[in-house]
Amino acid sequence: MSLLNILTYPDPRLNKVAKPVAAIDARIQQLAADMLETMYEAKGVGLAATQVDVHERLLVMDTSEERDQPLVVINPRVVWTSDDVVLGDEGCLSVPGFSGDVERFAEIHIECENANGDTYKIEATELQAVCIQHEMDHLIGKVYVEYLSPLKRGRIKTKLIKEAKEAQKSES
Ligand code: ZN
């Protein structure tokens, strides 16, 4: 297993639209394992393949308190969403140091495949429901900051670009 590099907003590769996973093979299983390791290491609750610069419909998550319920979600399809919406404070491993309020469906049901290629259903509520919607947005090239006001988004962008430049300088 190995840790993967997580892209940072506003990297344009975060705006790429992922293609369906064509075959759940050893490469995909390795990718899922590496993504889980990367997510746990970064203390995130979810990670989409887009964030590690792989543009295929795959995400991993673990919203359990004990951090012992890893889920591999391949080719997710939304089958039902609640009428209720919730407003919650969201963060993202690709937008370090920031968070912002985003409106999401309170509940969502999806169908997907696991790393063995078996189809299963997730009936998600609360944090897990928010996480699924956040990660599925990544797969269509959307970062949560796009829901924020242009002012707040601009502030985040400017700060992260500045930090990236400083990090580059200290490396060279
Ligand atoms: Zn994210």
Side-chain angles (χ1 to χ4, degrees):
M1 299 223 278
S2 52
L3 291 176
L4 304 168
N5 180 46
I6 300 175
L7 300 177
T8 303
Y9 181 80
D11 191 308
R13 289 171 289 181
L14 287 169
N15 300 120
K16 285 194 187 179
V17 177
K19 292 181 298 193
V21 171
I24 299 169
D25 52 15
R27 179 185 66 92
I28 289 293
Q29 285 159 352
Q30 184 63 51
L31 174 63
D34 289 344
M35 281 172 59
L36 277 168
E37 195 189 359
T38 303
M39 179 193 79
Y40 285 124
E41 174 72 21
K43 297 186 165 54
V45 292
L47 185 68
T50 308
Q51 292 176 276
V52 295
D53 201 22
V54 176
H55 303 282
E56 293 173 68
R57 292 183 61 77
L58 162 64
L59 61 94
V60 296
M61 62 178 176
D62 185 347
T63 52
S64 70
E65 233 161 83
E66 296 76 20
R67 316 277 292 145
D68 58 358
Q69 288 170 49
L71 284 177
V72 174
V73 174
I74 299 172
N75 294 336
R77 288 88 67 188
V78 175
V79 292
W80 180 82
T81 54
S82 61
D83 292 330
D84 290 355
V85 293
V86 286
L87 189 68
D89 191 41
E90 280 181 36
C92 177
L93 293 177
S94 293
V95 191
F98 293 93
S99 68
D101 280 345
V102 181
E103 197 176 84
R104 302 284 190 188
F105 296 116
E107 293 180 47
I108 184 167
H109 296 179
I110 65 163
E111 212 172 67
C112 57
E113 276 71 51
N114 65 15
N116 298 319
D118 304 320
T119 300
Y120 71 111
K121 202 169 170 180
I122 303 175
E123 300 188 351
T125 61
E126 299 182 357
L127 176 61
Q128 192 180 47
V130 171
C131 182
I132 285 175
Q133 291 166 79
H134 176 113
E135 302 310 332
M136 284 185 73
D137 268 356
H138 276 303
L139 299 179
I140 55 167
K142 200 163 183 178
V143 181
Y144 85 89
V145 294
E146 287 168 40
Y147 296 111
L148 307 178
S149 70
L151 184 71
K152 177 142 197 210
R153 184 165 59 245
R155 215 179 284 148
I156 291 173
K157 203 184 265 186
T158 305
K159 182 99 190 292
L160 288 177
I161 288 171
K162 197 174 152 215
E163 281 177 9
K165 274 189 192 142
E166 278 163 8
Q168 235 168 20
K169 237 184 269 168
S170 63
E171 267 169 34
S172 57

